[in-house]
Amino acid sequence: MIRDTMIKTANGMISASSSSANAQSPGLKTYFKTPEGRYKLHYEKTHPSGLLHYAHGKTVTQVTLAHLKDKPAPSTPTASSSSFSASSGVRSAAARWLGAGNGSRALGFVGGNVGSKSISSSSSSSSSRIGSLGASSSSNSMTNSNFDGKGTYLIFNVGDAIFISDLNSQDKDPIKSIHFSNSNPVCHAFDQDAKDGHDLLIGLNSGDVYSVSLRQQLQDVGKRLVGAQHYNKEGSVNNSSHCTSIAWVPGGDGVFVVAHTDGNMYVYEKNKDGASDSSFSVVKDQNQFSVSHARYSKSNPIARWHVCQGSINSIAFSFDGAYLATVGRDGYLRVFDYSKEQLVFGGKSYYGALLCCAWSMDGKYILTGGEDDLVQVWSMEDRKVVAQGEGHNSWVSEVVFDSYWSSPNSDGGGETVMYRFGSVGQDTRLLLWDLEMDEIVVPLRRCPPGGSPTYSTGSQSSHWDSVFPLGTLQPAPNIRDVPKISPVVAHRVHTEPLSGLTFTQESVLTVCREGHIKIWMRPGVAESQ
């Protein structure tokens, strides 16, 4: 049963700096109740609407959380990061060229008049698909010398721009915007453990990909990328499809993977020239998985994985980097052994495409969501779906495990592991789920003639058919055979369809496809602040 969440609007929760029409819409509440307590809307982030260009069509907003550690040592190459003075003027650039900061916080302004710069860089050559967004000379870029290079940031795309907000500031507007000409950013990823300055990836709907230093972007006060490495420039590798998802390989020392709408994934090394020539053999069978390696050691990308016919909608690595999960337009989840380049298993949705996937921290379970409105839990051990959540009224656009959550009743001594995960969908709702595998009610596969199925509690694998062989793509199981779980919370959080969900130690972040972000503080955190 979905627990009733009758809640009243909390007055005074949102400061004048973070209130918006979205927060004041009828029926939207500013907190929701869970078994462990109340989550409160603390503040919001959005974009300055006057700066958006929709000439290339609207895109769905995605959010990447980026934590910048202490500034790098002086030995770090200057192409990746320049020197920063130790100062707390992190938000100084925002007030200058995104308009005055709102709220009661005083923002320090540092030198440089950038008000005359154009909002977007335009290409003067018809042969250039992205314009002049490559690396710009450090002598020509204006720097914010007060940026100290530390903090936690939200990177999100809206229209033709990437916006960067300071997560720890309640200011609604971003502190930085980067505009693209002739194409829109659609996906991005951050590598917290990058060994040199290039830690941020940006994929465009043109198929182009950039790697940059987040620090360097924040230090620069301009509105275009600086110090960027450009991959698949002008379609040199793949000229017929959009980027859909991008990910760093955990522990891969600068290796990353880009997924496309034509069913291909490309593996790149950021330390190699992005413009080097790579050619791959023609895909013989669009329906068969295949891997092709570059012919030359200096080539970049170094490999092409053909995964499926039709679009790859999302990719996700297990936290140890051993496995890669993909979901696609054909409705299949596929899990690969990344180093062996082999399919481990796959399974199909009941209806339509799968749109999102996510791993548990321990690598034992994978979540998927998609056009059948279900959230499914897949077991790596059993290589099959072991539970499914019913609660969304429309497509599920994001699923995420909450790695910071612990059960209120957990004493740390039991063997049973409880998982908390969340999902958001086009029904504008956030759903939170609790998963305790030992307590799932498992339908037995066989039932008496003319009777109803019998049920048993216990390990989900003890009552199922044998594990599917390695490398098998499975059809969708009978929906009556899969254990059902219900959300512990179902809360309408935005007026627009939701596109993203992120958990932090202190909060839950929800994102709508129009680029509005809400930060919900966990129980106890809001009171302590």
Side-chain angles (χ1 to χ4, degrees):
M1 292 290 293
I2 298 177
R3 303 189 183 185
D4 190 46
T5 55
M6 296 296 292
I7 33 191
K8 297 179 181 179
T9 302
N11 295 323
M13 179 66 61
I14 310 173
S15 67
S17 65
S18 60
S19 62
S20 70
N22 203 24
Q24 298 170 351
S25 299
L28 289 188
K29 313 299 182 183
T30 56
Y31 61 84
F32 58 87
K33 293 179 179 178
T34 67
E36 65 269 20
R38 180 181 296 176
Y39 286 70
K40 296 183 179 180
L41 179 60
H42 197 49
Y43 51 93
E44 299 182 44
K45 300 287 188 181
T46 188
H47 52 84
S49 57
L51 296 184
L52 289 183
H53 301 146
Y54 287 115
H56 323 307
K58 286 191 176 184
T59 52
V60 174
T61 296
Q62 303 292 333
V63 168
T64 294
L65 192 69
H67 178 66
L68 282 180
K69 303 174 184 177
D70 291 346
K71 58 184 177 180
S75 60
T76 303
T78 55
S80 303
S81 102
S82 303
S83 61
F84 304 96
S85 62
S87 166
S88 59
V90 177
R91 290 175 297 278
S92 55
R96 286 203 315 281
W97 48 264
L98 286 180
N102 31 25
S104 58
R105 289 177 177 263
L107 301 184
F109 290 17
V110 294
N113 175 20
V114 295
S116 60
K117 280 180 174 278
S118 62
I119 296 299
S120 121
S121 25
S122 58
S123 170
S124 58
S125 168
S126 59
S127 63
S128 172
R129 300 162 67 223
I130 308 301
S132 54
L133 277 178
S136 63
S137 167
S138 58
S139 62
N140 296 330
S141 61
M142 304 176 68
T143 59
N144 172 8
S145 60
N146 280 356
F147 174 67
D148 64 0
K150 293 188 295 184
T152 303
Y153 301 92
L154 297 176
I155 300 158
F156 60 104
N157 60 287
V158 186
D160 66 350
I162 286 281
F163 294 100
I164 305 173
S165 284
D166 182 356
L167 177 61
N168 296 318
S169 162
Q170 295 192 29
D171 295 323
K172 184 175 68 172
D173 285 341
I175 62 173
K176 173 78 176 179
S177 72
I178 301 169
H179 290 261
F180 295 79
S181 55
N182 304 338
S183 188
N184 286 352
V186 291
C187 54
H188 26 85
F190 180 77
D191 182 7
Q192 184 172 309
D193 300 316
K195 294 181 179 179
D196 60 35
H198 278 220
D199 47 17
L200 176 61
L201 300 170
I202 302 171
L204 308 185
N205 63 4
S206 61
D208 293 69
V209 177
Y210 291 95
S211 70
V212 296
S213 161
L214 175 58
R215 264 193 188 90
Q216 196 172 359
Q217 309 315 304
L218 288 168
Q219 184 198 24
D220 186 79
V221 297
K223 301 174 187 64
R224 51 178 210 161
L225 293 178
V226 291
Q229 177 79 286
H230 193 170
Y231 310 89
N232 194 29
K233 185 176 182 180
E234 299 181 9
S236 60
V237 177
N238 184 322
N239 62 4
S240 61
S241 66
H242 308 322
C243 296
T244 58
S245 189
I246 195 165
W248 293 101
V249 180
D253 195 20
V255 178
F256 62 92
V257 177
V258 185
H260 289 260
T261 52
D262 61 357
N264 287 319
M265 293 190 305
Y266 293 89
V267 183
Y268 291 86
E269 293 182 2
K270 73 172 182 180
N271 295 323
K272 289 185 177 181
D273 183 5
S276 58
D277 178 53
S278 285
S279 57
F280 299 98
S281 57
V282 176
V283 176
K284 296 179 180 179
D285 187 346
Q286 292 288 332
N287 293 305
Q288 292 297 317
F289 168 64
S290 63
V291 178
S292 177
H293 294 271
R295 297 169 183 163
Y296 307 106
S297 60
K298 292 185 178 181
S299 296
N300 207 17
I302 59 176
R304 180 202 65 208
W305 293 36
H306 179 74
V307 175
C308 57
Q309 185 173 23
S311 177
I312 303 170
N313 290 330
S314 184
I315 62 176
F317 277 96
S318 59
F319 286 86
D320 60 2
Y323 297 98
L324 173 63
T326 72
V327 289
R329 177 65 221 160
D330 62 358
Y332 277 99
L333 162 73
R334 293 172 172 85
V335 180
F336 299 95
D337 185 311
Y338 176 70
S339 61
K340 294 180 180 179
E341 300 179 336
Q342 293 178 349
L343 177 69
V344 177
F345 78 93
K348 198 174 188 307
S349 67
Y350 288 103
Y351 170 81
L354 286 176
L355 303 175
C356 51
C357 57
W359 288 85
S360 62
M361 285 290 289
D362 56 15
K364 293 182 178 180
Y365 298 101
I366 306 164
L367 299 173
T368 60
E371 295 178 359
D372 57 9
D373 304 352
L374 297 174
V375 175
Q376 294 188 309
V377 184
W378 303 77
S379 166
M380 277 295 289
E381 178 185 359
D382 295 333
R383 298 200 287 274
K384 65 181 70 171
V385 60
V386 293
Q388 64 189 19
E390 300 177 355
H392 281 288
N393 300 322
S394 188
W395 296 358
V396 179
S397 47
E398 185 75 287
V399 286
V400 185
F401 278 97
D402 183 355
S403 59
Y404 300 97
W405 180 87
S406 59
S407 172
N409 303 321
S410 173
D411 56 6
E415 296 183 0
T416 300
V417 178
M418 175 87 82
Y419 300 87
R420 161 68 59 84
F421 61 89
S423 59
V424 293
Q426 296 195 18
D427 57 2
T428 73
R429 296 196 304 164
L430 163 69
L431 271 59
L432 297 179
W433 315 74
D434 287 349
L435 179 68
E436 188 172 0
M437 296 309 298
D438 287 348
E439 292 190 358
I440 280 187
V441 177
V442 182
L444 293 177
R445 187 170 290 278
R446 298 172 182 85
C447 60
S452 58
T454 56
Y455 294 86
S456 171
T457 58
S459 169
Q460 75 278 7
S461 58
S462 61
H463 301 290
W464 285 63
D465 292 346
S466 59
V467 173
F468 281 89
L470 277 171
T472 304
L473 285 179
Q474 310 159 21
N478 188 319
I479 198 166
R480 293 176 297 178
D481 290 340
V482 182
K484 309 296 189 297
I485 56 176
S486 296
V488 296
V489 169
H491 183 64
R492 183 169 176 256
V493 289
H494 290 252
T495 57
E496 298 292 333
L498 299 179
S499 59
L501 175 65
T502 301
F503 292 100
T504 73
Q505 190 167 2
E506 296 83 18
S507 61
V508 177
L509 281 64
T510 56
V511 189
C512 81
R513 59 185 302 146
E514 299 294 328
H516 304 293
I517 305 167
K518 292 187 177 183
I519 292 91
W520 306 83
M521 303 308 288
R522 293 181 185 269
V525 176
E527 287 80 0
S528 65
Q529 292 183 348

